Amino acid sequence: MHVFIAGANGQIGQHLLREMEDSDHEARALIRHPDQGPELQQLGATETVLGDLEQDCSEAMKGCDAVIFTAGSGPHTGPDKTIDVDQDSAIRLVDTAKAMGIKRFIMVSSMRAEEPEKGPEKLRHYLRAKHNADEHLRNSGLNYTIVRPGQLTNDDGTGKVAVSAKLEDFGKISRQDVARVLLAVLDSDTTTDRVFDVVSGDTSVPEALAKL
């Protein structure tokens, strides 16, 4: 499967490229600057393509079978940038995928995005943006999966997670394990049109997804 990765130069995106290197899938990494290309290809990108998520990416997406959106504005930007990237860019990419006949779309969201007003006040604008993007994808008609990780860490992944449509406890999960979940979702028959929370746990990623 040819997979278009938005946010490939981010931390989850880079882990995903490493995980995909030994898979049967081919990763097309979106980059904003040409000098990012060689490093991402060393990590595992089959190819890199120039583009800007805040603009039309249809040319960059040609020939792809699936999209993984793992981009984010980052913790040091203001609410406006969060809307631009986490909401509007995600929505634009969903619409582009649909228009191009790309049927598979995997979105990295966040736990509590389904109820943004119940989240911590300082995170509500972020959760609202994620919520709006998630709802747009759910109503798009695409074959979607929305992955909602808990608090992200840079710890080494364990390969073991807890997965549920809604987890009551807001736990932690390493970015490496989120990347492993994203790759496993591509090959899973149980994640079609599903939304689920994921944190670190005691069950291997394939087994956890199989139980959804």
Side-chain angles (χ1 to χ4, degrees):
M1 189 180 297
H2 295 267
V3 185
F4 180 82
I5 302 177
N9 197 49
Q11 294 183 74
I12 292 176
Q14 291 188 21
H15 279 298
L16 180 58
L17 293 178
R18 293 186 185 98
E19 298 294 328
M20 291 184 70
E21 185 174 21
D22 296 325
S23 75
D24 294 331
H25 304 292
E26 297 183 1
R28 180 182 297 175
L30 181 69
I31 57 174
R32 294 190 66 176
H33 306 288
D35 58 2
Q36 295 172 332
E39 180 181 358
L40 295 191
Q41 287 180 322
Q42 284 186 345
L43 290 178
T46 307
E47 60 179 320
T48 58
V49 58
L50 281 172
D52 184 345
L53 279 176
E54 296 181 51
Q55 305 295 328
D56 176 26
C57 288
S58 55
E59 191 67 29
M61 296 166 68
K62 282 184 176 178
C64 288
D65 308 299
V67 174
I68 297 179
F69 187 94
T70 182
S73 58
H76 304 299
T77 60
D80 289 347
K81 197 65 175 178
T82 298
I83 294 296
D84 289 343
V85 177
D86 296 87
Q87 176 180 296
D88 293 348
S89 292
I91 288 173
R92 185 182 303 107
L93 214 63
V94 169
D95 290 344
T96 302
K98 184 174 182 178
M100 297 181 69
I102 301 172
K103 300 185 183 302
R104 189 76 173 100
F105 201 109
I106 300 168
M107 181 85 80
V108 177
S109 182
S110 173
M111 283 184 70
R112 304 299 184 258
E114 76 279 9
E115 298 177 313
E117 301 308 320
K118 294 184 179 181
E121 186 173 353
K122 65 180 182 179
L123 290 178
R124 286 177 191 169
H125 73 282
Y126 169 77
L127 294 174
R128 288 188 203 104
K130 288 295 188 185
H131 173 82
N132 292 337
D134 291 354
E135 289 303 296
H136 190 80
L137 176 56
R138 291 178 68 176
N139 294 317
S140 67
L142 297 177
N143 176 339
Y144 70 85
T145 305
I146 298 172
V147 179
R148 290 178 168 170
Q151 182 181 345
L152 298 171
T153 75
N154 289 322
D155 298 335
D156 290 338
T158 64
K160 295 186 177 182
V161 296
V163 168
S164 177
K166 184 173 182 179
L167 293 169
E168 295 302 325
D169 294 329
F170 195 99
K172 297 181 179 181
I173 184 170
S174 72
R175 289 176 171 86
Q176 184 178 24
D177 278 339
V178 174
R180 289 169 173 166
V181 169
L182 296 175
L183 178 57
V185 164
L186 277 175
D187 297 317
S188 172
D189 295 326
T190 61
T191 59
T192 300
D193 297 342
R194 300 298 296 270
V195 184
F196 60 85
D197 295 345
V198 59
V199 297
S200 293
D202 300 317
T203 307
S204 70
V205 171
E207 185 180 353
L209 294 183
K211 292 179 179 178
L212 275 172

